[in-house]
Amino acid sequence: MAQDPYTQKLLLDWFVELDTPEGFRAELVEGEFVLTSLPDGHHEHCISRIVNQLHQRCDFDVQFSGNKGLKLKNAVGQPQDHVIPDGTVVARAPQLFRGAPPWMPSAGVTMVLEVTFTRPEIDRGAKRRCYARGGIPLYLLVDRDASATTLFTEPEKGDYLRSHTTAFGGPLTLPEPFAFDLDTTDFL
């Protein structure tokens, strides 16, 4: 539902000043306030496996940040999105995170990563659109309910034009600048 500019500003101001309870993280996604608990061990295991492969298989400096706040272009009639990916990956820009504010713009981010947890529909839909609007070239979604990993590419007009999905256990090709097959065997 579209909101008038005054309501958008009030919601954004309230969100920025929010004191999130310990053990939770807060996001503002397409005008919806999203509060989630901290993830379980399998969630973190999947992230760890991806990060290890990025560091081992790339011949350049890969920077990774878990839970980095990103300010992204908003959907029409909504306050600016404030999204926290499970992982933010930067290739060949080793200083991007240094000195960045808690909520940084998405310029320079190569890939974001989400592993489904308590509200998988947000990762599959709203966050995907947020990342596309932010111009993030690659969105990697590990969907534990579907036992599959999907790579979304070519952000345009508020969504990704292409996607490729592989069942857990199969390889998923990551394009340049990574250019390797992500092994998803250990996600099972």
Side-chain angles (χ1 to χ4, degrees):
M1 180 173 92
Q3 299 167 337
D4 65 88
Y6 181 74
T7 303
Q8 290 178 35
K9 180 164 179 10
L10 284 175
L11 182 59
L12 184 58
D13 289 347
W14 172 79
F15 174 77
V16 170
E17 296 298 321
L18 182 67
D19 186 17
T20 306
E22 187 174 335
F24 289 87
R25 68 181 194 181
E27 300 172 279
L28 186 58
V29 181
E30 293 188 340
E32 179 183 352
F33 173 69
V34 179
L35 185 67
T36 55
S37 61
L38 296 178
D40 62 23
H42 183 250
H43 180 276
E44 296 304 294
H45 172 80
C46 292
I47 294 169
S48 174
R49 298 295 82 199
I50 293 167
V51 172
N52 284 344
Q53 290 182 62
L54 287 169
H55 287 298
Q56 291 174 1
R57 302 188 70 193
C58 292
D59 61 356
F60 54 85
D61 191 18
V62 176
Q63 299 296 307
F64 175 84
S65 177
N67 300 307
K68 180 69 185 125
L70 297 177
K71 289 194 297 188
L72 303 167
K73 289 182 181 177
N74 64 313
V76 175
Q78 300 295 334
Q80 186 175 36
D81 293 312
H82 284 64
V83 181
I84 305 171
D86 290 327
T88 303
V89 180
V90 175
R92 298 188 172 113
Q95 302 300 317
L96 189 67
F97 294 130
R98 181 174 289 175
W103 293 99
M104 70 178 230
S106 60
V109 172
T110 308
M111 180 170 69
V112 288
L113 156 68
E114 293 287 357
V115 178
T116 58
F117 188 47
T118 56
R119 303 223 12 224
E121 70 280 1
I122 292 176
D123 294 332
R124 293 180 193 126
K127 282 190 168 185
R128 184 192 76 235
R129 292 186 299 272
C130 286
Y131 299 142
R133 282 192 303 271
I136 298 171
L138 305 172
Y139 171 37
L140 185 64
L141 174 64
V142 178
D143 193 327
R144 299 190 299 167
D145 295 333
S147 296
T149 305
T150 301
L151 180 68
F152 296 93
T153 62
E154 299 181 37
E156 188 175 305
K157 298 181 182 174
D159 210 342
Y160 288 93
L161 298 179
R162 301 199 189 287
S163 65
H164 180 74
T165 302
T166 189
F168 286 176
L172 180 67
T173 300
L174 297 181
E176 291 290 338
F178 306 109
F180 71 87
D181 288 344
L182 181 71
D183 181 3
T184 67
T185 304
D186 206 16
F187 297 174
L188 295 169

